[in-house]
Amino acid sequence: MQLKKLIPLVAAAALLPGLGFAQEAAEVAETGMDSVERLNMEMVFIMNSLLFLVGGFLVFFMAAGFCMLETGLVRSKNATMQLIKNVALFSVATVAYFVVGFNLMYPLGDWVVEGWLGGIAPTVLEPVGVAFEDLDDVEYASIGSDFIFQLMFCAAVASIVSGAVAERIKLWPFLGFVIVLTGIIYPIQASWSWGEGFLDELGFLDFAGSSIVHAAGGWAALAGVIVLGARAGKYGKDGRVTVMAGSNLPLATLGMFILWLGWFGFNGASQLAMGTVSDVADISRIFANTNTAAAGGAIAALLLSKFLYTKPDLTMVLNGALAGLVSITAEPLTPGLGAATLIGAVGGVIVVLTVPLLDKLKLDDVVGAIPVHLFAGIWGTLAVVLTNPDATLSAQIIGIVSIGAFMFVASLVMWLILKAVFGIRVSDEDQVTGLDTTELGMEAYPEFSKG
């Protein structure tokens, strides 16, 4: 009796392997791959998408870092203006990038002018519940994760400009510039390298954007500073420079540390892959090099500011750390820890030497964005040849000049148009009163206002 009950079970057990083989055969027929190969591809897709999402929210947190750094380095009467500018610029950049910028930056072969200008089309995500077979690129990542990650770089360019032109620019013309910068100007030049344009074909290398992101933002900021002019009372006719100290150095320091943290996503996720052992090992290497470059920049700025000014300057140390991060961004993978530290240290030295240089040229950069992002970005792009054997000095120089010329000229034209049509600078009287009151009608620290 017991034997009769066992016979169906034994028969079913014997049939299961056959059913499994039949199912696998059906999958092979449908997708052209066996179940193990498909599982491997799914895991690569999942891990790459996860890398972009984690990297994306780390770089998003850098928006808070820029906001806190800038707000701490402006005077208290302009703090609210910096806060609203940073919230608004990120929001505006998000819309401009999905409507135009993302596909302009990544033409995927659909060039209007081959290698130079991509097509204009809004970003379209995968359908809800998309099947494996319907993915556009199963060996890469989801469109949504890629868009989010790349958007954060785009918004960072606008944040760089925000700090440089602080304390004397009108809100609405600034946001108008951000729309064009993030929707058109930045994506066009980024497509030349990351979109497989002409700079990529020349062999120009910029791993995570020392030139493509940071120097690009620095060039746009430089054009804005030139057209906008200095803050009222900053430079005297006798060559005197009036120090306009920031209102909240603890807040600025917090902003620097937030940026330092976000940079792990900025550089680490630029590996663009996390589906293999070597990819994960490389990401770990990038994290370590990114960190030590920041430390090198901070130490160099600390020591040099002590030597030049007899006492260490906190703002120089903050910007020195950031310059170290910018410097290593073009190539955070190939250096060893020692080389990464030295590359970052040179960035710190550059900041300490070029901040006073801008004052001599009467270029009023409130937060030191141009020394940190433009000058250190150029250095970092050149430094790639020191550790990456695939880099050539000629290609790096061509990339720096091409990006710089386009970003500066396009930004300059846009600033001049805004100045002529709307006016971009608040009056000297409003600057004395403060933009919080005159432009916004509210103060960040109302309990400390007079009266």
Side-chain angles (χ1 to χ4, degrees), residues 15-100:
L15 288 172
L16 281 176
L19 292 173
F21 288 132
Q23 182 178 357
E24 183 172 320
E27 289 180 356
V28 171
E30 182 179 354
T31 65
M33 65 185 74
D34 60 33
S35 58
V36 174
E37 183 181 0
R38 171 170 170 152
L39 179 60
N40 287 339
M41 294 185 72
E42 286 183 345
M43 289 307 300
V44 168
F45 182 87
I46 291 168
M47 296 305 293
N48 289 353
S49 299
L50 180 62
L51 174 68
F52 290 162
L53 293 173
V54 173
F57 75 64
L58 278 171
V59 184
F60 168 74
F61 199 36
M62 291 176 72
F66 279 115
C67 186
M68 295 301 97
L69 179 71
E70 294 171 20
T71 303
L73 292 179
V74 301
R75 290 167 291 179
S76 58
K77 60 185 178 181
N78 299 311
T80 303
M81 176 59 87
Q82 285 308 111
L83 296 172
I84 198 170
K85 278 168 58 185
N86 275 274
V87 175
L89 75 84
F90 186 87
S91 304
V92 166
T94 295
V95 176
Y97 194 64
F98 101 73
V99 171
V100 181

Side-chain angles (χ1 to χ4, degrees), residues 147-415:
F147 168 76
I148 282 292
F149 183 57
Q150 298 301 335
L151 165 63
M152 303 309 160
F153 286 67
C154 180
V157 176
S159 295
I160 293 166
V161 180
S162 172
V165 300
E167 297 203 306
R168 74 274 201 199
I169 195 167
K170 294 179 180 178
L171 175 62
W172 298 108
F174 170 75
L175 293 180
F177 178 78
V178 170
I179 291 172
V180 178
L181 175 68
T182 57
I184 299 174
I185 299 175
Y186 164 75
I188 287 176
Q189 65 83 23
S191 73
W192 298 344
S193 302
W194 291 346
E196 299 182 351
F198 81 95
L199 287 181
D200 180 65
E201 292 181 2
L202 286 175
F204 174 69
L205 299 179
D206 190 355
F207 191 93
S210 286
S211 277
I212 297 170
V213 177
H214 294 283
W219 286 114
L222 178 61
V225 165
I226 291 172
V227 175
L228 189 61
R231 289 168 288 178
K234 176 64 176 178
Y235 303 119
K237 294 181 179 179
D238 58 354
R240 174 182 49 84
V241 178
T242 301
V243 176
M244 297 178 173
S247 61
N248 195 328
L249 292 183
L251 194 63
T253 304
L254 174 63
M256 183 279 296
F257 274 119
I258 292 173
L259 288 169
W260 191 329
L261 170 66
W263 231 287
F264 293 122
F266 200 101
N267 286 355
S270 292
Q271 175 71 9
L272 303 182
M274 197 173 68
T276 66
V277 169
S278 62
D279 283 329
V280 174
D282 284 351
I283 292 168
S284 304
R285 184 182 177 95
I286 291 167
F287 270 51
N289 284 336
T290 298
N291 184 71
T292 194
I299 293 169
L302 174 69
L303 296 176
L304 187 56
S305 65
K306 164 66 176 175
F307 175 76
L308 294 177
Y309 308 122
T310 70
K311 294 181 180 180
D313 185 322
L314 173 62
T315 61
M316 291 291 189
V317 175
L318 300 182
N319 278 333
L322 296 177
L325 289 162
V326 171
S327 299
I328 200 63
T329 294
E331 185 47 85
L333 176 60
T334 56
L337 288 173
T341 305
L342 292 176
I343 290 170
V346 173
V349 170
I350 288 172
V351 161
V352 176
L353 296 179
T354 56
V355 166
L357 174 63
L358 288 184
D359 281 334
K360 290 182 180 179
L361 298 173
K362 295 186 177 181
L363 296 173
D364 187 12
D365 176 357
V366 177
V367 303
I370 294 169
V372 168
H373 298 279
L374 175 53
F375 298 152
I378 291 173
W379 152 244
T381 307
L382 293 173
V384 175
V385 302
L386 301 178
T387 63
N388 189 330
D390 294 329
T392 64
L393 186 59
S394 60
Q396 297 305 100
I397 291 174
I398 291 172
I400 290 168
V401 172
S402 300
I403 292 168
F406 176 76
M407 289 300 304
F408 181 78
V409 173
S411 298
L412 185 67
V413 169
M414 191 62 203
W415 283 122

Side-chain angles (χ1 to χ4, degrees), residues 97 100-123 136 146 150 184 186-198 200-201:
Y97 194 64
V100 181
F102 184 57
N103 282 319
L104 190 60
M105 182 170 164
Y106 292 102
L108 299 178
D110 296 328
W111 296 92
V112 175
V113 180
E114 186 67 31
W116 289 84
L117 180 65
I120 296 177
T123 304
D136 287 340
D146 193 23
Q150 298 301 335
I184 299 174
Y186 164 75
I188 287 176
Q189 65 83 23
S191 73
W192 298 344
S193 302
W194 291 346
E196 299 182 351
F198 81 95
D200 180 65
E201 292 181 2

